[in-house]
Amino acid sequence: MGESGLLLVASIVGAEFDAERLRARIRENMRNETWELMWGSPGTIVAARVAGFDDEWREGCEVLAGEWDRESGLWTQQLYGQTIRYVGPAHGFAGNVHALREALPDDALRAGVESTLRRLAVVEDGAANWPPVEGGGLGRLQWCHGAAGLVATLGDLMPVDLLVQGAELTWRAGPLAKGPGLCHGTAGNGYAFLRTYAVTGEDVWLERARRFAVHALQQVERQRTAVGRGRYTLFTGDVGAALLARSCLDGDPRFPTLDVW
């Protein structure tokens, strides 16, 4: 959210780009008290890595790692006027761990991921889900909150039993009625299957991802017919559905902006 993302996109597409302005925004955001991906330093850590600002990337990771509460396994966010601990990738734990990839050894990340996810998991009948916030109820099953986002973001760092149980619940729940997008839509959940396919090598997960992709594209068409236009955004619109469809052609689990630009 904000200027850093726009500057990063400008640099990638070859538009006029002020590298020092982006570097300054990244440094100014290193101790943002939100401690999450969308507004906080995890997002600008990703921007630093993509832009090739190695010093800012390393320093940002060091600060973020220092805020990781090893007792709870979570970060504490000051967000929306609340002091809260989010679990998913958009606003908390999963996105923060993802931002620390390469800065911390995978074994250290796996240890933190396993202990936290096992503590917070609700497992029943071969399926698992996680609350949006520590101590909260199971009100979400999408990329930003719930099993789908945790699997898509941390699947290669999770114990395989939790990975498969989270992906299985995502499949049983089916496509999201909210729409086709990435953040809280069918396309975002489809990336959980691609990640599970990449980790397990089992073709059933690629097939399930492709089924979700087709459904997301159908949702786009129904929405366009109903309102007379598409929704031209990445995280909540038609673009996310198109990207999932493309990812399904090659079985590519990389999530847009977090993993690949």
Side-chain angles (χ1 to χ4, degrees):
M1 303 289 188
E3 187 177 3
S4 297
L6 298 174
L7 289 169
L8 182 61
V9 171
S11 74
I12 291 170
V13 301
E16 184 176 346
F17 166 58
D18 186 339
E20 293 311 308
R21 189 175 182 88
L22 176 56
R23 195 188 304 272
R25 297 293 84 81
I26 291 168
R27 284 199 165 275
E28 290 166 359
N29 205 44
M30 280 187 186
R31 297 185 182 275
N32 189 322
E33 63 183 1
T34 59
W35 301 115
E36 49 84 74
L37 187 72
M38 293 297 173
W39 285 279
S41 67
T44 43
I45 285 170
V46 172
R49 184 172 64 219
V50 174
F53 298 160
D54 289 346
D55 290 345
E56 287 74 18
W57 170 69
R58 290 191 180 91
E59 186 176 343
C61 288
E62 183 177 346
V63 172
L64 180 62
E67 292 292 325
W68 192 353
D69 176 17
R70 297 312 174 109
E71 183 175 347
S72 68
L74 301 169
W75 281 261
T76 300
Q77 284 79 40
Q78 302 294 329
L79 191 63
Y80 303 130
Q82 297 178 294
T83 300
I84 197 166
R85 287 174 170 170
Y86 278 100
V87 179
H91 294 303
F93 165 75
N96 294 5
V97 171
H98 185 79
L100 292 173
R101 288 177 184 271
E102 299 180 28
L104 295 182
D106 282 354
D107 286 346
L109 294 178
R110 287 192 178 96
V113 165
E114 178 169 8
S115 60
T116 303
L117 293 187
R118 288 206 185 278
R119 179 174 70 86
L120 298 174
V122 178
V123 181
E124 183 177 333
D125 191 25
N129 201 7
W130 290 264
V133 299
E134 183 184 41
L138 298 177
R140 298 287 187 273
L141 180 55
Q142 51 204 40
W143 177 79
C144 51
H145 300 297
L150 289 166
V151 169
T153 308
L154 301 178
D156 58 318
L157 299 174
M158 297 170 66
V160 174
D161 63 318
L162 290 181
L163 166 79
V164 172
Q165 289 166 345
E168 181 61 28
L169 181 64
T170 304
W171 173 251
R172 292 181 192 176
L176 273 73
K178 293 180 178 180
L182 291 172
C183 184
H184 42 263
T186 301
N189 284 24
Y191 275 97
F193 305 134
L194 288 176
R195 181 65 67 184
T196 307
Y197 170 67
V199 172
T200 67
E202 295 177 359
D203 290 341
V204 62
W205 298 110
L206 179 58
E207 175 62 22
R208 289 178 173 184
R210 288 173 172 171
R211 287 178 179 270
F212 265 50
V214 170
H215 190 91
L217 294 175
Q218 291 171 341
Q219 287 179 301
V220 167
E221 292 303 317
R222 285 197 296 270
Q223 178 176 280
R224 184 172 294 151
T225 299
V227 303
R229 60 176 176 81
R231 186 168 185 174
Y232 309 117
T233 55
L234 173 61
F235 268 82
T236 61
D238 304 356
V239 178
L243 289 174
L244 174 64
R246 186 180 71 175
S247 295
C248 284
L249 294 177
D250 299 321
D252 184 355
R254 294 176 299 169
F255 195 85
T257 70
L258 269 72
D259 297 316
V260 63
W261 287 75

